[in-house]
Amino acid sequence: MRLRCRATAARRRMLCFWLLLLGFALVTLLLSDFLSRNRSPSHQNLGPPRRPLRRFSSPVDLEVIVDSRDPALELGLDLAPLKSLQEDQLLFVPSTQGTKSPVQKKGGYKVLLPGVNRDSTAPGAPTLGEMGRAVQLHLGGLEREAELAAVLKYGFNEVVSEKISLHRRLPEARSPGCLREQYSESLPSASVVICFHDEAWSTLLRTVHSVLHTAPKQYLHEVLLVDDLSKHGHLKSVLSEYVSHLDQVRLIRSTKRLGAGGCRTLGATRAAGEVLVFMDSHCECQKGWLEPLLERVAQDRTKVVSPIMDVIDWQTFQYNATQWPVRGVFDWRLDFHWESDFPMQDKEADSAVQPLRTPALGGGVVAIDRHFFQSVGAYDPGMLLWGSEQIELSIRVWSCGGSLEVVPCSRVAHIDRHHLPYVFPDQEMLQRNKIRIADTWMDAYRKIFYRRDTLAHFIRQSESPNVTERLQLKRSLGCRNFHWYLTEVYPHIYIPQDRPALSGELYNVGTGSCADYPRGQGAQGGPMNIAPCSGTGSQVTKTGEVRWGPMGRLCLDAKGERVVLSPCPTQRPNASSGPQWKFLKARRRT
Ligand code: UDP
Ligand code: MN
């Protein structure tokens, strides 16, 4: 009896085991089937894409709904489907169709509303791990851990910076004409205001020494260091002690984190020089940089001026002179750019030494009369810690009676960092600052911005910024409107027409990816490829151009088989017109 029982129990256990095994096999089979079904069928026969294809989180939200009753809005670009989906190149297949009766194409391109630019330098709060991966990729050969840690901490290679003298002199880069320039003997005095938040020791002190070495004593009222609540130990008592031994240098500390603009406004209230020179805490000045700036402000107290901003390489700390002419602009996402490739007006032709009017200035170094700075409204106190404050100042100065110039005989170098090293509490800070600019200064043109920055658009829908005080300031100063600014100051900006459904992203419904223009290819254009959709918009103009990106200066063009971007026909007066793009009716998503 006992034996039989044991035998039965053993059989049961065996049965259970086999049942379990069978169950496990079934589940695995079902799961793998489910997963493979979930994969887009179009991806299966593509072979591995070079970059993982990212999908929109909610493509339906972003897709333009085409009203098929309106023939003007019929959609479907005159592009055949991609010839080879194995490549990430974007290929051009000329239309074989007549222009009059376009036949509907399958698998054409759809136009999507621009989304959020995921590649933007918008400050979020990246984890160290994320940042580490990015830097490791970028650094390539740099293997030393200390260097990586330094780059993570500061956005530049502090280890290299430490090895360079705090007193190094930059090689001469000024035009020979500048060396012959004579300046008035009675220039106004300057307070150089250097705000810093957790700046590296070597770069901060090199900035200070560089000012002390290059600014004539009689014009330098003071160097005012403003600590924006730094946490790093080296910026505490050691810095106070160091600064106490330096002539003409003062250090003040904020008890509240003010951010880049707020910190400068604080510095301005404590500065006593006639001209304020706001300077980033990681700069190096070229000989003779201060006099040309002071002279310009002395001639007209409403002029706000900047040197040519040269570049210090974030990895090697090598000095790179910036090509002249250069001017500051911003695009319809309200991102700032220095622009070097533009034709000079005739009257500006002999301008190796002549200051150049500029629609905007970068934040690195800005010289402004102290009283004018206060009367024109300092920096917007409603702006959060970092981002776009220089664009706000630029539009405001122009609109409210001042002007901006880049002065070529003045040169200061600035470290263009690999990434912003701060961790901000508000991930949408940059958008919130831009919203303030749009709502205060851009009048109806703000719609163009909101169409290009979807995140800002949604934030604006759910919360209104309080810009009442800035609007009051605008009224009381009698500032001009944005139309005036665009016409008089920034006439070369392309103003998108943004016709419904004719603007957005070039999206391939087959692959779920978008036409893309790799970063770093420059303003002159180059080959396009296909890549995960990044939200870079384009629009089709009435003349059949497809204008690309928030600047709208480059147009879709063809070079042999490849789709390329090249300067739009209207940007190159004597060139032949580019290809005409037509809309065909899109296949509707079912
Ligand atoms: N800064 C500051 N407080 C902040 C952020 C920045 O005082 O919360 C300082 C920073 O140390 C630098 C200047 O403001 O001297 C401009 O900032 P940053 O260099 O980060 O801007 P970027 O040059 O990268 O645009
Ligand atoms: Mn900076």
Side-chain angles (χ1 to χ4, degrees), residues 234-253:
H234 62 260
L235 299 171
K236 308 278 182 196
S237 55
V238 189
L239 180 67
S240 306
E241 164 71 13
Y242 189 97
V243 166
S244 69
H245 298 290
L246 297 176
D247 256 4
Q248 293 182 294
V249 184
R250 285 201 292 142
L251 171 63
I252 60 173
R253 298 192 190 265

Side-chain angles (χ1 to χ4, degrees), residues 20 101 239 260 379 399 548:
L20 261 171
S101 53
L239 180 67
Y379 279 96
S399 310
W548 180 264

Side-chain angles (χ1 to χ4, degrees), residues 76-117:
L77 278 178
D78 196 8
L79 266 178
L82 297 180
K83 228 178 176 184
S84 158
L85 293 174
Q86 308 236 327
E87 295 295 324
D88 62 359
Q89 300 176 344
L90 191 54
L91 300 179
F92 177 75
V93 182
S95 169
T96 49
Q97 294 165 350
T99 46
K100 288 207 170 135
S101 53
V103 184
Q104 183 180 335
K105 274 196 187 123
K106 281 185 183 167
Y109 290 82
K110 283 199 171 183
V111 177
L112 298 181
L113 284 173
V116 182
N117 182 4

Side-chain angles (χ1 to χ4, degrees), residues 44 70 90 96 150 166 171 181 205-206 208 236 244 269 293 320 357 361 405 424 441 457 466 509 516 534:
Q44 283 177 353
D70 180 353
L90 191 54
T96 49
L166 295 183
E181 286 284 287
L205 270 305
R206 198 174 295 115
V208 173
K236 308 278 182 196
S244 69
T269 62
L293 297 181
N320 296 307
R357 278 161 50 103
L361 286 179
E405 288 177 350
F424 294 115
W441 299 105
H457 171 77
N466 183 358
V509 284
D516 190 31
S534 67

Side-chain angles (χ1 to χ4, degrees), residues 182-223:
Q182 301 282 319
Y183 300 100
S184 154
E185 302 232 315
S186 56
L187 291 172
S189 64
S191 285
V192 179
V193 177
I194 302 173
C195 283
F196 61 94
H197 175 79
D198 285 343
E199 183 62 66
W201 175 265
S202 61
T203 44
L204 178 64
L205 270 305
R206 198 174 295 115
T207 308
V208 173
H209 284 298
S210 155
V211 173
L212 294 176
H213 288 317
T214 52
K217 265 199 167 9
Q218 68 270 32
Y219 305 134
L220 183 67
H221 185 86
E222 66 197 333
V223 175

